[in-house]
Amino acid sequence: MSRTLGTDRDHSAKRKNALFSGHTSAGWLFTAPSIAIIAIFLVIPIVLAVWVSLSDWNGLGSPLSGKTEFVGLDNYATILAEPGLARDDFGISLRNNFYYVLFVVPLQTALSLFLAVQVNRRILRGRGFFRTAFYFPSITSSVAIVIVFLFLFSASGAVNTVLGWFGAKGPNWFSDPSGIFHNMLAAFGITSPPPFLADEWFLGVTGWQWISGPSIAMCALIIMAVWTTSGTFMLLFLAALQAIGSDVREAALIDGAGPIRTFFSITLPLVKPTIFTVLTLGLIGTWQLFDAIYLTGGGAPGKTTLTPAYLAYETSFKGLDWGQGAAISFILFGIIVTLTLLQRFILKDRDRTTLRTRRGVTAGNDAAPRGREGSA
């Protein structure tokens, strides 16, 4: 009997293999173009970039020619460990970009959520106009926006003119390298670092430099980034808000929840996945800041707007040190991935995890008596 069943299974498996053998070939044939495109435009460039970061290629000729030598992790060591201009510049660019991320990501997330809530209100007239107006900066050329901001934030620009109406003297925004935290400390008479801040902390940058805060020039770029990107993220929040059913709000209203309580107890938890998406996109975009830096002087004034992305470009195209440029890019990639994973861990929905755990424990407790009964 068992031999008969085994024979039937063998015949069935053979018929199945024969049936799908043609399908397998057809499947590979249909997916081959996609696989080839991914290999040519994604896999091969990444592998080649890894090789460049481990070589001394100067950008002349092919990186795979015999003139290019393998240097191992020397490019990474030059940037991260060896004292010198390369390490100092990378440390300064990291500090600048860190403050840029620290200010831009929370501000653009909060502003975009606020705008989405406002344009989602039914009592607001002209909602279509406001949605278009808020989204308009996102579809405008970044070059045009930077040029407009250069005029607005010039010494005699509109921003300083408005500040003058209130008796305040505005700074020369894009020419002022002083950090805002240093300026705050200077207001209390602290203009030089204490001994423990005068020493080098990390990547050739002293503690006093690390706590300087964003420069005045970087503050202008932060304002520009928040104004430009909030419209795009507003649309994401708007879609999430419109997905919340009216019955949920009506139930909250019946329970006596006011607008503020409804927002923090109902709306905010329901749009939490969108908040994570906005934070992730904002984090990635802010660490890749390049075009505004290129248009405003390449890190001027005093390298206080220098970013790792622009430093990679400058090292590769101007310094002809493509190995170090590629190494900076991969370090930046590692920073973005690490911060994204950290952000995902922090924003993890612990309530659902706890609920699943409790369900698992409950199911286990329910199954245990049945198991004992079965064994008995």
Side-chain angles (χ1 to χ4, degrees), residues 222-238:
I222 290 172
I223 296 171
M224 183 183 69
V226 173
W227 179 74
T228 306
T229 56
S230 296
T232 302
F233 296 136
M234 178 199 70
L235 291 184
L236 298 180
F237 281 122
L238 188 60

Side-chain angles (χ1 to χ4, degrees), residues 164-183:
W165 294 346
F166 298 94
K169 184 181 180 182
N172 194 355
W173 293 85
F174 284 105
S175 301
D176 194 338
S178 62
I180 59 172
F181 295 160
H182 278 181
N183 292 338

Side-chain angles (χ1 to χ4, degrees), residues 279-358:
L279 289 175
T280 303
L281 294 176
L283 189 70
I284 295 172
T286 48
W287 276 108
Q288 295 176 339
L289 177 63
F290 175 79
D291 49 356
I293 306 303
Y294 181 85
L295 295 168
T296 55
K303 296 183 181 180
T304 57
T305 59
L306 184 66
T307 60
Y310 184 82
L311 182 62
Y313 158 78
E314 193 175 52
T315 304
S316 301
F317 286 88
K318 295 183 178 179
L320 295 181
D321 197 340
W322 286 75
Q324 280 192 20
I328 293 173
S329 300
F330 277 105
I331 294 172
L332 182 61
F333 171 76
I335 292 173
I336 293 174
V337 171
T338 303
L339 291 178
T340 303
L341 293 175
L342 180 63
Q343 174 185 300
R344 184 179 179 82
F345 174 77
I346 293 173
L347 295 180
K348 187 178 180 182
D349 197 343
R350 302 183 188 284
D351 295 337
R352 291 184 179 179
T353 305
T354 306
L355 184 61
R356 290 193 197 101
T357 306
R358 289 177 178 174

Side-chain angles (χ1 to χ4, degrees), residues 125-161:
R125 294 184 177 179
R127 285 184 296 175
F129 168 77
F130 287 109
R131 291 174 184 176
T132 305
F134 293 146
Y135 184 65
F136 192 73
S138 302
I139 60 174
T140 307
S141 167
S142 60
V143 177
I145 291 176
V146 171
I147 292 174
V148 169
F149 266 72
L150 285 174
F151 281 108
L152 289 176
F153 284 86
S154 64
S156 57
V159 174
N160 283 351
T161 302

